[in-house]
Amino acid sequence: MKILNRLTIKHLFMNKKRTIVTIIGITLSMALMLGCGLLASSFIEELRNEAIESNGSYHAVFKNVDEDMAKTIQNNINVETSYFISSLGYANFNDTENISKPYYHVVSGNQKMLETFHLMEGRLPKNENEIIISDHIRYNAYKDIKVGDTLTLDVGTRMLDGEPIYINEAYTSNALETEKIVNTKTMTYQVVGIIARPYIEDYSAPGYTVFTYSDHFNEIANILYVEFFDTRKVYEIGNDIQETLGLELQDIDYNYRVLYYYGTTKYNNVNQSILSVLSIALSLLSIGCIIVIYNSFAISTMERKKQFGLYSSIGATRKQILHTVFFEAFLVGIIGIILGIIGSFVGIYIVLEILNYLLQDIWEYHFTLVINWIYILVPIIFMILVIFFSAFIPARRASKVSPIEAIRENDDIKMPRKKLKTPKFITKIFGIEGELALKNMKRNKKKYRITVLSLFISIVLFISFSAYMTYALNTMQSIDNFDYDIVITGDDDTRVSTLQDITKDPRITKAYFFENGSFVVKVQPDVYASEYRKYRQSYYMNEPFDFVNLNFIILEDADFQEYANKVSAKMDDFIVVNEGQFVFYDDSNRFSYHKELFQTKNSSLMLCQYDDIEKCDVELPNVVYTNEVLPTFHSLLYSSGINGFISRSRYQELISNQVITKNLYPYYTVQIQSLEYEDLYRDLKDEYKKFNFIIFSPKEELKEQKNIILAIKILLYGFITLVSLIGVTSVFNTIHTSINLRRKEFAMLRSMGLAPNGFNKMILFESLFFGFKSLLYGLPVSFIVICFIRSSMMSFTNDGKFLVPWGAVIFSIIGVFFIVLLAMWYSVYKIKKENILNAIRDENI
């Protein structure tokens, strides 16, 4: 057995190029499989930590619970830990410059709750006379409160028109005169610490949340946060607790984002989509790796078949021949696996550092390489099994061949003369060289199939993963639903002229000033498009189905005239946008659509009265439906209701005729497009800060998101490059060895008078036949895989478009012929230099 091992090692050294290519194939496959696991574990860990930092580590939150309910929940066998807060009330924040947050919101929490916050300065409160504040007060309210300061607050309950307000209901400046804080109690607190903005404070919250210590529940407004032992059963356990305690549906909520990174979601089709996406990707990767490695050992066994025949003729048993192949597999496998492990660790570390560099300005967290042993062991075991079966199958087949057949090497070609006939048009079009090329491929079917299989899998892998990238980027880039650069909003009637003056800035390319109003209209349910009907049924399940919010957009007459001309409408018309982009949840599934809202465009809209929503006796006149959206207004497609445009003069006319009532709570908006939006945005913020306008630039915000998209692109392109390298390695290895195995055949053709030009033409035609055959199989299968990818990502994409990576398709078509021609030219180049007699007599390659 030792002598066979030495001969195997000698064979590997004599065939250095093929050995190196085989090791490269195993290395790339191992690096890809392990790298995916390392990258996934690192990403999931970091995103989970970021989600916990932003949203808290709790799994479920129970609202409006009393002390007995809390004890019942805490004693549940599935609950790992819990912590609570209680709202003590609101106090006026007299010095704030943020008109939408005029209050302090004083909240008490137990020690566990307070420890979930990110402490930036000082310490946590230890009694009910100490508080911690968030740095949000400093940078948003411009209030310089320091550790050690004392705050005296009159804490009470918010009331509007004599009725208590829901604890976190947003504040509007229109309620300035009617909203009051009553039943106040004067409290003096010492500030002992400053925390990062707490995850429990919504961006629409009416006050800045401050926290004090308490180890007991308040009489009202208690909230209990819970973490469970098993994150996979959070929704099931939470619903059971809700039913047991008799809580309302709105009294329980979940930390969806954190649970998502634990692999838990309540929407079945999202789970199925994630599983489908992973299954397709891993299946493609696995098949690619299997074929690459199998081809390497299959062609190795082919070229050693004569050698195995000689071994058998001098007494080597079938078991010893199998051992020889396994020994070769062990040597190249161990080297390839070790290099693949090292390469994957180094490669993923570099990738994470590149991501950290690209995202350093927008991502306060730092990606680190996280090692999850399951992601290491599974790829290693998988590669060992692949190498074993890749070596076993061809070796077992070769060991069954008789020594005489193996030495003579005539078992690969067993074909009757009739099957070697070629169509006459081949000779007419391609000449005798084309006929020879086709006959050679028919005679060498095994080698031909291996080559076509390598090309086929390369095409499918490249196009499929390019399709993944296309769908992923399409989904991510759909976040950019703004076609304006800057938006300015105000709700003060006295500032209208100021907003209109802003539109006169010479740096503005296009600007629309408009007023927003809100009405309720009644629509017959049968006129809704089917998808929109499903959306309304799921989203508004507790409201009358036929009522819908109508967003009145009141344009200046000149702007409305421009829009009316585009959609063939008149100045008296009310233009309704019959298009929407929305996500809804039905039967525990998530759906995303970009569809029409109404299936008929002649339906009427009945206006309902504010004080009596059931009284809808005024028909909105002159309604015109269109799918054309005015520039800068595409973001309206993402709203849940109906959007309609009306001219200022027509709006005033309808009010004067008492067809509609004047909007009670108007707000005014300017949407701007500008080539110099960065400077304009900065100047507008400085100049109009005193007016309490909300000035926002989605383009500035999207700069961060575009960096994230760039990082994702780098990852995906790197992934595709690695997949492509595996395919190219397999193809080059297969073709190079196949050509080498045919040295005698080529020498005989040359000895019979085949001229160099004719030989070159024959090789060229073989290359073309290889390419066409592989594309004939590869392209249809790739499109089938794209269909599966589209189906698996339907719950994430915003439309049902069938996206084809045409660039990848064209590149793969060109690439196939380029790689085949290059590999065959390189292999044939050396053969053509050989002496014909030596090539015929030579038994080694």
Side-chain angles (χ1 to χ4, degrees):
M1 198 71 75
K2 289 183 180 180
I3 187 64
L4 291 177
N5 291 345
R6 286 200 297 270
L7 289 171
T8 300
I9 295 172
K10 184 179 179 180
H11 169 78
L12 292 175
F13 277 104
M14 287 178 65
N15 295 271
K16 287 181 182 178
K17 290 180 182 178
R18 190 196 58 77
T19 303
I20 290 172
V21 171
T22 302
I23 291 173
I24 290 173
I26 295 172
T27 300
L28 290 174
S29 300
M30 183 69 221
L32 186 60
M33 298 295 290
L34 180 56
C36 289
L38 290 174
L39 195 61
S41 59
S42 299
F43 257 61
I44 291 172
E45 183 70 20
E46 195 60 45
L47 293 173
R48 184 189 298 145
N49 290 337
E50 188 272 334
I52 289 173
E53 186 74 22
S54 302
N55 295 47
S57 60
Y58 70 94
H59 300 151
V61 55
F62 297 89
K63 307 169 187 176
N64 301 319
V65 296
D66 56 31
E67 196 161 1
D68 291 335
M69 289 180 177
K71 287 181 179 179
T72 301
I73 296 171
Q74 290 167 334
N75 292 331
N76 189 293
I77 192 172
N78 297 296
V79 173
E80 181 178 10
T81 187
S82 64
Y83 30 91
F84 68 87
I85 59 170
S86 299
S87 175
L88 302 181
Y90 285 85
N92 284 312
F93 196 147
N94 299 319
D95 300 329
T96 181
E97 294 188 24
N98 189 341
I99 195 171
S100 64
K101 283 183 177 291
Y103 303 126
Y104 287 103
H105 183 199
V106 185
V107 172
S108 65
N110 63 352
Q111 186 68 22
K112 285 184 179 180
M113 183 71 213
L114 298 175
E115 288 174 354
T116 64
F117 301 132
H118 178 57
L119 187 64
M120 301 174 66
E121 296 180 35
R123 61 174 175 82
L124 297 175
K126 296 180 180 177
N127 56 61
E128 297 179 354
N129 298 317
E130 297 177 341
I131 62 168
I132 50 175
I133 66 169
S134 73
D135 65 336
H136 188 48
I137 292 177
R138 289 177 166 181
Y139 68 76
N140 189 264
Y142 304 101
K143 182 76 170 179
D144 189 18
I145 302 176
K146 302 181 180 67
V147 174
D149 289 353
T150 299
L151 290 180
T152 300
L153 307 175
D154 293 326
V155 183
T157 304
R158 291 173 66 200
M159 302 284 285
L160 180 63
D161 297 329
E163 296 292 331
I165 303 175
Y166 174 68
I167 185 172
N168 276 324
E169 186 170 330
Y171 178 84
T172 62
S173 58
N174 299 304
L176 187 61
E177 299 298 327
T178 54
E179 181 173 324
K180 305 293 182 184
I181 294 180
V182 301
N183 301 326
T184 60
K185 180 181 179 182
T186 302
M187 301 293 295
T188 301
Y189 298 103
Q190 183 182 15
V191 179
V192 296
I194 297 175
I195 60 173
R197 178 171 181 157
Y199 57 85
I200 67 170
E201 182 181 303
D202 295 334
Y203 282 90
S204 61
Y208 300 94
T209 312
V210 296
F211 298 88
T212 185
Y213 171 81
S214 178
D215 59 357
H216 59 272
F217 280 73
N218 195 4
E219 292 181 2
I220 57 172
N222 297 306
I223 301 176
L224 184 70
Y225 295 84
V226 175
E227 294 179 28
F228 298 102
F229 286 106
D230 191 351
T231 56
R232 296 171 299 177
K233 299 180 180 179
V234 167
Y235 297 109
E236 179 184 339
I237 299 168
N239 292 338
D240 288 343
I241 293 175
Q242 174 204 339
E243 293 176 4
T244 301
L245 297 179
L247 295 172
E248 298 292 332
L249 188 63
Q250 62 267 23
D251 288 335
I252 181 172
D253 203 357
Y254 299 94
N255 197 344
Y256 298 104
R257 190 177 171 198
V258 170
L259 291 173
Y260 180 79
Y261 292 121
Y262 278 109
T264 303
T265 173
K266 66 183 295 186
Y267 305 111
N268 295 332
N269 70 327
V270 174
N271 281 327
Q272 293 168 0
S273 293
I274 294 171
L275 184 60
S276 298
V277 169
L278 291 176
S279 298
I280 295 170
L282 290 175
S283 297
L284 288 171
L285 282 177
S286 301
I287 293 170
C289 293
I290 290 169
I291 291 178
V292 167
I293 297 169
Y294 175 81
N295 283 352
S296 296
F297 286 104
I299 59 180
S300 172
T301 304
M302 278 186 190
E303 69 185 39
R304 297 185 67 188
K305 193 175 291 184
K306 186 171 184 178
Q307 190 182 94
F308 293 154
L310 290 171
Y311 291 169
S312 299
S313 67
I314 59 175
T317 63
R318 183 179 298 178
K319 183 178 179 182
Q320 287 174 322
I321 292 174
L322 286 173
H323 170 82
T324 300
V325 178
F326 286 136
F327 183 68
E328 177 185 342
F330 170 78
L331 292 177
V332 296
I334 197 70
I335 295 171
I337 288 174
I338 292 173
L339 291 177
I341 293 173
I342 296 171
S344 63
F345 273 94
V346 173
I348 298 303
Y349 175 80
I350 293 172
V351 166
L352 293 177
E353 288 302 310
I354 292 173
L355 291 178
N356 288 327
Y357 175 77
L358 288 173
L359 305 178
Q360 60 183 336
D361 295 331
I362 61 174
W363 191 272
E364 60 179 303
Y365 307 97
H366 188 83
F367 285 106
T368 56
L369 186 62
V370 175
I371 299 174
N372 189 327
W373 289 108
I374 192 68
Y375 290 121
I376 296 176
L377 291 175
V378 170
I380 290 175
I381 294 171
F382 173 79
M383 291 303 297
I384 290 172
L385 291 174
V386 168
I387 292 171
F388 172 79
F389 285 107
S390 296
F392 174 75
I393 294 172
R396 184 170 176 270
R397 189 182 299 122
S399 65
K400 291 182 177 180
V401 179
S402 68
I404 297 298
E405 285 185 338
I407 293 171
R408 293 175 61 189
E409 294 183 318
N410 63 353
D411 62 310
D412 287 335
I413 304 172
K414 294 179 179 179
M415 184 172 292
R417 183 178 299 177
K418 289 182 181 180
K419 289 191 177 182
L420 278 176
K421 287 185 178 180
T422 57
K424 291 183 179 180
F425 72 88
I426 294 292
T427 307
K428 288 182 179 179
I429 297 175
F430 299 105
I432 188 65
E433 294 86 0
E435 184 179 359
L436 280 173
L438 189 57
K439 284 186 175 182
N440 286 335
M441 293 170 65
K442 286 189 173 186
R443 291 174 63 248
N444 297 278
K445 274 196 171 182
K446 290 183 180 178
K447 302 181 183 74
Y448 164 66
R449 285 172 184 163
I450 292 174
T451 305
V452 171
L453 186 61
S454 297
L455 288 167
F456 163 79
I457 197 63
S458 301
I459 294 167
V460 174
L461 285 174
F462 183 74
I463 294 178
S464 298
F465 282 103
S466 296
Y468 267 120
M469 185 177 70
T470 301
Y471 276 96
L473 294 179
N474 178 67
T475 301
M476 288 185 290
Q477 289 172 344
S478 66
I479 57 178
D480 186 3
N481 51 55
F482 302 99
D483 53 350
Y484 54 82
D485 301 315
I486 302 171
V487 60
I488 307 169
T489 304
D491 57 1
D492 190 343
D493 288 336
T494 63
R495 305 297 183 192
V496 170
S497 60
T498 305
L499 285 169
Q500 289 175 323
D501 289 341
I502 291 174
T503 64
K504 300 174 184 178
D505 193 296
R507 292 172 290 180
I508 294 176
T509 306
K510 186 68 179 177
Y512 288 100
F513 168 80
F514 58 94
E515 177 186 344
N516 279 84
S518 182
F519 294 87
V520 175
V521 294
K522 188 173 183 179
V523 181
Q524 295 299 322
D526 58 349
V527 303
Y528 287 125
S530 58
E531 289 86 357
Y532 188 61
R533 188 184 302 119
K534 291 179 183 178
Y535 165 71
R536 291 196 56 76
Q537 285 174 327
S538 66
Y539 195 82
Y540 297 99
M541 56 186 175
N542 294 324
E543 298 181 18
F545 175 66
D546 48 353
F547 295 101
V548 62
N549 184 67
L550 173 63
N551 181 29
F552 250 57
I553 301 166
I554 306 159
L555 288 173
E556 299 303 293
D557 285 359
D559 292 330
F560 185 85
Q561 182 68 65
E562 176 189 342
Y563 189 24
N565 291 339
K566 285 185 177 181
V567 299
S568 301
K570 300 186 291 293
M571 287 296 291
D572 290 344
D573 292 336
F574 183 79
I575 303 174
V576 172
V577 179
N578 187 31
E579 191 173 347
Q581 188 150 334
F582 44 89
V583 174
F584 72 90
Y585 303 90
D586 179 36
D587 297 329
S588 299
N589 291 323
R590 180 185 188 274
F591 299 94
S592 179
Y593 287 108
H594 188 167
K595 301 285 185 181
E596 289 190 341
L597 305 182
F598 303 99
Q599 59 183 342
T600 175
K601 294 186 179 181
N602 56 4
S603 59
S604 60
L605 299 177
M606 304 298 294
L607 290 171
C608 305
Q609 296 185 10
Y610 280 111
D611 54 353
D612 186 3
I613 196 173
E614 297 291 339
K615 192 174 181 181
C616 306
D617 52 3
V618 177
E619 182 177 349
L620 189 63
N622 303 334
V623 178
V624 174
Y625 294 87
T626 181
N627 288 60
E628 180 85 22
V629 184
L630 197 64
T632 81
F633 285 91
H634 280 84
S635 58
L636 290 175
L637 299 180
Y638 293 80
S639 60
S640 59
I642 302 173
N643 298 287
F645 293 84
I646 192 171
S647 65
R648 171 72 62 182
S649 58
R650 179 61 171 163
Y651 176 66
Q652 296 294 347
E653 181 184 335
L654 293 178
I655 291 175
S656 61
N657 294 335
Q658 297 184 342
V659 176
I660 60 175
T661 55
K662 182 174 174 57
N663 187 18
L664 296 178
Y665 304 114
Y667 66 92
Y668 305 92
T669 303
V670 177
Q671 290 179 174
I672 296 170
Q673 290 180 334
S674 173
L675 298 176
E676 305 173 52
Y677 73 87
E678 296 98 335
D679 294 335
L680 181 61
Y681 176 57
R682 183 172 56 252
D683 294 344
L684 289 174
K685 287 189 72 175
D686 292 339
E687 186 173 352
Y688 295 100
K689 177 180 176 182
K690 59 184 177 182
F691 294 128
N692 290 318
F693 291 149
I694 299 174
I695 304 176
F696 172 71
S697 173
K699 297 296 183 183
E700 287 293 317
E701 295 294 322
L702 288 171
K703 279 183 179 179
E704 301 178 356
Q705 296 171 343
K706 286 178 179 177
N707 276 347
I708 295 174
I709 291 174
L710 175 61
I712 299 296
K713 280 184 177 180
I714 290 173
L715 282 176
L716 292 174
Y717 277 121
F719 192 76
I720 290 173
T721 301
L722 197 56
V723 169
S724 302
L725 280 175
I726 291 175
V728 170
T729 301
S730 175
V731 171
F732 193 88
N733 188 18
T734 305
I735 292 177
H736 178 66
T737 307
S738 177
I739 294 295
N740 276 338
L741 288 171
R742 295 169 61 192
R743 289 164 71 224
K744 282 187 178 182
E745 175 187 322
F746 293 148
M748 291 180 67
L749 288 171
R750 290 161 61 200
S751 70
M752 294 170 62
L754 186 62
N757 287 339
F759 185 80
N760 290 337
K761 286 177 67 177
M762 184 187 74
I763 295 299
L764 174 64
F765 292 141
E766 280 197 37
S767 303
L768 293 176
F769 292 150
F770 278 133
F772 283 124
K773 191 80 170 183
S774 57
L775 289 170
L776 182 64
Y777 294 129
L779 291 179
V781 172
S782 297
F783 280 99
I784 292 172
V785 174
I786 292 174
C787 291
F788 283 116
I789 292 171
R790 173 183 175 272
S791 176
S792 68
M793 299 188 75
M794 278 296 291
S795 60
F796 302 114
T797 55
N798 293 321
D799 52 53
K801 293 180 180 177
F802 184 77
L803 302 176
V804 178
W806 290 112
V809 172
I810 295 171
F811 185 82
S812 64
I813 293 172
I814 298 172
V816 161
F817 292 110
F818 176 77
I819 292 169
V820 172
L821 286 170
L822 181 64
M824 295 194 79
W825 175 85
Y826 173 78
S827 303
V828 170
Y829 177 74
K830 292 188 175 182
I831 292 176
K832 288 166 65 177
K833 288 185 174 183
E834 290 184 327
N835 182 278
I836 295 176
L837 185 59
N838 289 338
I840 294 173
R841 294 173 59 189
D842 196 4
E843 295 181 354
N844 293 318
I845 60 172

